Amino acid sequence: MSALWTGYQHREVDADGWTTFWRLDPRDRDLRLSDWTGYPDRAGHRLWERAATPAGVRAAWRTSATSVELEIRAALSIYIRIAPVDVLVDGELHQRCEVLEGEQRLRIELPGRPAEVEIWLPQAGKIALREVCFDGDAEPLAPTGPRWITYGSSITQAGGAYGPSETWPALVARKNGWDCVSLGFAGECHLDPVAARTIRDLPAQLISLCLGINIHGGATYSGRTLPGQVESFIATIREGHPQTPLVVITPLPAPDREGEPNAVGLTLDDVRACVELGARTDPAVRVIDGRTILSSDEARALYADEVHPGPDGYRLIGERLAGLLTID
């Protein structure tokens, strides 16, 4: 596959030539460490199911071809929908391609003039890719711009965005000219050490961490343990990034959940306070209160449910954070 794909940590090719782009490297990992326990109806290895989804994975070419074909395989797995493939030409959305379950070939007509063509793989679904074929010469292009790593929950993975180029991390990266690594894992942002080590070991000029909504929903930590877990997660990242700008974003408003204690007695405001307390043990960390990104009224208007933005909500979050996140 002659492409310079970016946004993943490990590329696994099976015996039939199907490529899975892992956003966390599963090699030599005991996947049971992150199994969900206590709910027998929820399958294990959910973090790794999310990590095998290519949210933010993309490649670009310079070409005068008149068409490109993708051979792709998709399954719902633990998802409720399969996201589309986005094809951009010279930075603008050219075609959004529906992806169905099973093996399929997607054919996209291109302008047939010198242009930069960028393909963004789906941000939701179990996805594998086997072939990308242009009907003319196509020069793979390396990623450009400063590297930005962002870690978070389903809101960062943004499975409900219109398409993979319109998740809020994609919108921020495209507007600011950054090379984004999106470590958004729906339901799985629980300060796992493997995530901290992954961020530690990757080059980056900016790191952002969206922390708290999964911890509140999963009652992962108490008020006693959460600040220290945030402190430890950041300390691990700092081992590889002693000077890199690091931003922590606390939970966005969730109007229907505000004020309600979870199973360990924490409200969302309590979680925000604990996350900020742990983050501020590093005086260089910048903290953004998630309630300043969207108002409660905007959340009520733009959310698809009590926690997740709809597609226009992700667009607004991207617009707001594109200005708030900066690289000097």
Side-chain angles (χ1 to χ4, degrees), residues 15-320:
D16 295 319
W18 290 101
T19 296
T20 298
F21 294 101
W22 290 88
R23 292 180 295 134
L24 297 174
D25 191 339
R27 293 174 295 178
D28 301 321
R29 305 287 187 190
D30 186 344
L31 305 191
R32 297 171 301 174
L33 291 175
S34 56
D35 276 0
W36 187 281
T37 57
Y39 290 83
D41 59 327
R42 300 191 68 170
H45 306 332
R46 295 176 65 87
L47 171 64
W48 295 97
E49 292 279 351
R50 304 299 188 193
T53 297
V57 177
R58 64 218 181 269
W61 297 259
R62 173 66 62 179
T63 183
S64 297
T66 61
S67 69
V68 61
E69 289 191 356
L70 284 75
E71 190 175 11
I72 194 168
R73 185 179 68 195
L76 280 172
S77 184
I78 61 174
Y79 291 88
I80 61 172
R81 70 182 286 258
I82 298 170
V85 166
D86 279 357
V87 179
L88 280 60
V89 172
D90 292 334
E92 299 296 328
L93 182 63
H94 174 71
Q95 187 170 331
R96 178 160 286 148
C97 307
E98 181 182 14
V99 177
L100 305 175
E101 288 193 89
E103 298 179 11
Q104 58 222 275
R105 292 188 75 90
L106 306 178
R107 179 181 174 86
I108 299 98
E109 301 299 325
L110 298 175
R113 56 169 173 79
E116 181 176 319
V117 174
E118 194 171 15
I119 296 176
W120 289 70
L121 298 180
Q123 81 275 20
K126 184 177 182 179
I127 306 297
L129 188 68
R130 183 152 63 182
E131 191 173 36
V132 177
C133 291
F134 291 86
D135 70 349
D137 291 339
E139 176 191 1
L141 300 177
T144 60
R147 169 74 62 78
W148 164 47
I149 303 172
T150 187
Y151 168 70
S153 66
S154 55
I155 298 171
T156 299
Q157 186 172 342
Y162 284 116
S165 68
E166 292 194 74
T167 67
W168 77 257
L171 290 169
V172 170
R174 289 170 56 205
K175 183 171 184 178
N176 291 342
W178 297 344
D179 174 20
C180 176
V181 174
S182 178
L183 299 180
F185 305 113
E188 300 298 335
C189 181
H190 296 285
L191 303 173
D192 288 284
V194 64
R197 292 193 298 267
T198 297
I199 299 169
R200 177 195 66 191
D201 296 341
L202 288 173
Q205 283 70 55
L206 176 66
I207 297 164
S208 61
L209 313 173
C210 300
L211 305 179
I213 192 65
N214 288 160
I215 290 166
H216 178 264
T220 319
Y221 304 108
S222 67
R224 162 65 180 82
T225 57
L226 178 53
Q229 291 296 321
V230 173
E231 177 190 22
S232 177
F233 194 87
I234 290 172
T236 297
I237 293 171
R238 282 298 192 211
E239 292 172 4
H241 295 279
Q243 304 298 327
T244 304
L246 200 157
V247 179
V248 169
I249 304 170
T250 67
L252 273 63
D256 293 335
R257 288 194 181 184
E258 301 289 346
E260 293 186 3
N262 65 4
V264 292
L266 297 183
T267 65
L268 270 173
D269 273 353
D270 294 331
V271 170
R272 292 183 183 105
C274 288
V275 168
E276 182 167 0
L277 182 62
R280 292 201 184 279
T281 58
D282 181 334
V285 168
R286 179 183 169 209
V287 177
I288 297 177
D289 187 328
R291 294 167 296 185
T292 66
I293 298 169
L294 294 179
S295 70
S296 292
D297 287 344
E298 288 170 331
R300 290 188 186 280
L302 295 172
Y303 279 16
D305 55 32
E306 61 184 24
V307 170
H308 299 94
D312 290 329
Y314 285 118
R315 283 179 170 173
L316 183 55
I317 292 168
E319 179 183 320
R320 300 262 170 88

